[in-house]
Amino acid sequence: MQKMNERIQSKAIYKAFELMRQKKFDESEAVLTEGLKEAQTARDLVLTALFYSAYGVLFKLKKEYRKAWKYYEQAEKLIPDDPALKIISSRLLVDYFGQHDTVIRKMEKILPKLGNDMTFLHQAYTVLGLAYLKKGNKKKAGECLTKSAGNDFKGLQSGANFDFRLVEEMMKKKNNPAACRGFLEKALAFVKETKEIQHERILKRLLDLFPAG
């Protein structure tokens, strides 16, 4: 019975996300409210955290960032070792609340626990670099950008997993162009290897912004 309930509630989350995609935010919230109530009644911490996280996505889409962060924080408290939730909530703290020191502490705490998981490492270093950049520490931001590429992005599934936010912000500020170019060149080599033509075109256009040599 528990497995069946989990499957039903997982479907509810997918339904809520589909409604979000259609911008039917009120309907999505109604689905999440019902699902969260059932997950809490069943005392299923994992599902409850998933619903809180979905609420976070919903309110982020609605540009209600304080509510979004509140729900991500509640999800984090239920699953404190989940790096994805920490990275998502930290991104909100950087982008909308200016909590740069808090984000730096959080990312430096989880980075040693990520092992060789390139997907999480790439995101964590990107968020950490953004926090340093917004604090004005350009050197640390550049170091994070380089680290976010890891070993030539080995371990990422696809160019679709690239997060360009840090390199774009650094390019706007003309901060450490050598590190920016190195990041983009590694990304281009990766998508050539994976034969992702669309991503290859985008990266070539970005590299065209740099002077030759």
Side-chain angles (χ1 to χ4, degrees):
M1 180 63 73
Q2 183 178 359
K3 289 292 183 183
M4 183 177 292
N5 286 338
E6 287 178 0
R7 284 198 297 272
I8 291 169
Q9 291 176 17
S10 295
K11 284 182 180 179
I13 291 173
Y14 283 117
K15 182 179 179 181
F17 277 119
E18 178 58 26
L19 289 167
M20 289 180 214
R21 191 184 67 79
Q22 297 171 22
K23 300 189 185 303
K24 296 179 179 178
F25 298 136
D26 290 343
E27 292 177 40
S28 178
E29 186 171 355
V31 170
L32 291 176
T33 299
E34 185 61 31
L36 177 61
K37 192 185 301 180
E38 291 179 11
Q40 289 174 328
T41 300
R43 297 184 179 179
D44 189 319
L45 294 183
V46 174
L47 272 173
T48 300
L50 287 173
F51 277 107
Y52 280 142
S53 182
Y55 265 114
V57 174
L58 172 65
F59 284 110
K60 186 177 179 183
L61 289 172
K62 292 174 69 174
K63 302 187 187 307
E64 295 182 38
Y65 302 115
R66 191 167 296 280
K67 281 187 178 180
W69 174 74
K70 182 189 77 171
Y71 280 111
Y72 281 128
E73 187 178 46
Q74 286 179 282
E76 263 193 76
K77 286 177 180 176
L78 291 176
I79 314 179
D81 297 324
D82 188 322
L85 291 173
K86 282 184 167 49
I87 291 168
I88 291 168
S89 62
S90 293
R91 189 66 168 263
L92 283 168
L93 290 174
V94 167
D95 288 345
Y96 304 108
F97 301 108
Q99 298 291 317
H100 308 134
D101 289 329
T102 299
V103 169
I104 289 167
R105 286 195 298 271
K106 287 176 73 168
M107 291 300 96
E108 289 182 341
K109 185 176 179 179
I110 70 162
L111 273 164
K113 301 177 182 179
L114 298 180
N116 297 318
D117 191 322
M118 186 55 197
T119 300
F120 284 138
L121 287 169
H122 175 59
Q123 291 291 332
Y125 276 119
T126 296
V127 173
L128 180 60
L130 286 167
Y132 276 123
L133 189 65
K134 294 198 174 190
K135 270 179 65 74
N137 193 330
K138 296 179 179 180
K139 182 181 177 183
K140 283 281 192 181
E143 290 172 0
C144 288
L145 180 67
T146 300
K147 289 177 180 178
S148 76
N151 182 18
D152 299 331
F153 294 103
K154 287 184 176 65
L156 284 189
Q157 297 296 312
S158 158
N161 298 126
F162 290 145
D163 188 329
F164 292 112
R165 176 71 187 286
L166 178 56
V167 72
E168 286 173 350
E169 292 294 325
M170 289 176 61
M171 287 169 68
K172 285 178 191 174
K173 297 176 185 294
K174 297 182 179 179
N175 171 225
N176 203 334
C180 293
R181 186 177 185 92
F183 176 95
L184 295 173
E185 285 175 342
K186 288 179 181 179
L188 178 58
F190 178 89
V191 295
K192 281 183 176 178
E193 183 70 23
T194 55
K195 297 180 172 58
E196 296 176 81
I197 304 301
Q198 185 176 357
H199 292 299
E200 186 177 339
R201 288 173 182 157
I202 293 169
L203 284 158
K204 283 179 176 176
R205 284 201 296 272
L206 287 171
L207 280 164
D208 284 343
L209 298 173
F210 290 89

